[in-house]
Amino acid sequence: MSVMDEVRSGLGTDLRRLRKSKGLRIADLAALTNRSTGWISQVERGRSRLDYEDLKILAQAFELPLSQLFRRDGAVLAPEDTVLRADQRRALSADNSGAMDDLLTPMMAGIHFYSSELAPHTASERPRHEGDIMMGLVVKGDVQIRIGDRHHHLGAGDSFWSRGEAFSWLNPHDTPCTVVWVLAPLPDDPDA
């Protein structure tokens, strides 16, 4: 079993437990998420990939913060908790691109702080996060990014930021690349 299969299987098992703990049938969850019962069943059995939109919809259906689906142990963080241990986090595939994302803290005010392992010879599926502020630091490896119409080659220690522009990445190398990201909504005041 691959790492991705293990991740999907673990998340699927947790989603099944969560659904049952809420007293929901597969058909109930399908109705809440506007998805088919077959899709819900495939997710619970670890046979479907989930992207952020899927996770957001599931979190809304369960009335949970999205960050809760990244927790391995399923325990809800108390408001006074300020530490999230490495073994409490679950890395998830953000899309079918080859990126494994690890949410580093619970989301606060729409701010995402996460780490991604970009597999060799992979690329983002499409430009993402248009309309958000995105910042990143390449921790390990090399990556190519496109911000708007500008193309950049980055290595370990390089950082970047984008203010509301389309963003995409490419790892054409034989080694993985690790990037730490912060994603936040644009403020209402354009001069902020």
Side-chain angles (χ1 to χ4, degrees), residues 127-186:
R128 9 186 287 204
H129 306 303
E130 193 165 341
D132 293 325
I133 295 174
M134 175 179 280
M135 297 172 272
L137 170 69
V138 179
V139 176
K140 179 181 85 176
D142 297 292
V143 67
Q144 296 176 24
I145 63 170
R146 181 172 293 280
I147 299 173
D149 61 358
R150 297 173 314 281
H151 186 258
H152 306 278
H153 296 267
L154 303 175
D158 292 339
S159 58
F160 60 89
W161 55 95
S162 164
R163 187 178 174 90
E165 297 177 89
F167 176 90
S168 59
W169 60 265
L170 167 69
N171 180 3
H173 308 289
D174 294 331
T175 57
C177 177
T178 303
V179 180
V180 174
W181 313 82
V182 175
L183 177 65
L186 276 169

Side-chain angles (χ1 to χ4, degrees), residues 60-134:
Q60 288 172 349
F62 289 125
E63 298 178 346
L64 292 172
L66 176 63
S67 56
Q68 196 60 42
L69 297 181
F70 282 82
R71 294 289 309 273
R72 267 196 197 144
D73 58 12
V76 176
L77 285 176
E80 64 274 6
D81 287 344
T82 55
V83 173
L84 182 61
R85 303 287 178 197
D87 64 350
Q88 294 176 308
R89 297 192 307 262
R90 176 199 331 264
L92 293 175
S93 175
D95 52 28
N96 296 327
S97 64
M100 289 292 292
D101 290 346
D102 189 3
L103 194 64
L104 300 174
T105 62
M107 283 189 305
M108 301 188 308
I111 298 171
H112 303 259
F113 177 49
Y114 60 100
S115 174
S116 292
E117 178 93 3
L118 310 178
H121 305 287
T122 58
S124 53
E125 290 189 310
R126 59 192 176 278
R128 9 186 287 204
H129 306 303
E130 193 165 341
D132 293 325
I133 295 174
M134 175 179 280

Side-chain angles (χ1 to χ4, degrees), residues 24-46:
L24 298 172
R25 298 171 302 135
I26 287 178
D28 299 329
L29 185 56
L32 287 170
T33 59
N34 199 27
R35 299 292 200 268
S36 71
T37 56
W39 184 82
I40 299 291
S41 177
Q42 294 280 20
V43 166
E44 288 187 354
R45 289 184 284 144

